[in-house]
Every structure is written in structure tokens, then in C-alpha cells.
Amino acid sequence: MTPFRLCRPDFEQLNCVAEELPLRLPLETTEATLDRRDLFGHGVRAALDAFRENVCEDVDHELLCDPAMDGIDQDPALTYLGIAPTGIEGWFTPFSPDCPVHPYAANPADNE
């Protein structure tokens, strides 16, 4: 995902965990910078939350940063939660059948 994709008028929600992960760092950096400069008012928080909510399918990718959550996506008792795959082998798996397969995960033979 390039940052320019977020600016295109035809932008759609991110399709897989691998697309959501690179967005985490700039969002956290933005939040920390605003907080450090005491610019993190209610309206700013609401705007960042709305952006995150509209761009990311959910916050499952944030589980990757919490070691206590390792393997939560594979726990049969928690299947009902529909947690996105946290193992690297599933990062490019589309969230739904309607989502296009990420170019890095596409099989080149499928395009011939």
C-alpha cells in the first residue's frame, strides 16, 4: 500500500492485514506527536478514530503487537469472534471473497 492510495478518490477500505499494518506506525506517531505538543483535543481524537474506522476493516491487526494474544486467531473457542489471521502466512488473505487479492499474494500464473 502506498500512501498515495489513501488519497485517491476511488479508495476503498483496506483488504487484508498486510495493508493495515503499515498504517499503524504513522497513526501512532501522529497521536504521540499531537499528545506531546498538547494538541490532542476531543475533535482531533474523533477525527483520527473516524479515519481508522473507515480505512481499516477492524483492529485485529493490533493484536500482533500484543504477545499475550499470540495464536488467538487459531483458538477454536474464539472462532465466533472472526479474528483476522495473525500468522504471517495469512496477512495477505483478503478479508472477504469480494476483496481483490493483494498483488503480492497473487499467483502470477493466474494472470496469464
Side-chain angles (χ1 to χ4, degrees), residues 1 3 7 12 15-16 19 25 37 41 45 50 56-58 66-67 75 79-80 83 92 100 105 107:
M1 179 191 75
C7 301
E12 294 182 15
N15 298 333
C16 60
E19 291 183 349
L25 180 62
R37 299 200 193 307
R45 163 63 74 190
C56 296
E57 191 215 23
D58 54 35
D66 185 352
D75 185 339
T79 304
Y80 71 95
I83 295 173
F92 290 95
N107 183 350

Side-chain angles (χ1 to χ4, degrees), residues 33-92:
T33 301
L34 290 169
D35 188 39
R36 189 171 50 244
R37 299 200 193 307
D38 203 24
L39 298 171
F40 215 158
H42 176 71
V44 174
R45 163 63 74 190
L48 286 172
D49 287 346
F51 174 78
R52 182 180 283 114
E53 184 177 314
N54 286 299
V55 171
C56 296
E57 191 215 23
D58 54 35
V59 294
D60 289 354
H61 65 280
E62 293 182 8
L63 299 174
L64 294 170
C65 299
D66 185 352
M69 297 294 160
D70 282 353
I72 191 171
D73 60 317
Q74 297 176 9
D75 185 339
L78 300 175
T79 304
Y80 71 95
L81 294 174
I83 295 173
T86 58
I88 194 166
E89 66 280 350
W91 287 3
F92 290 95

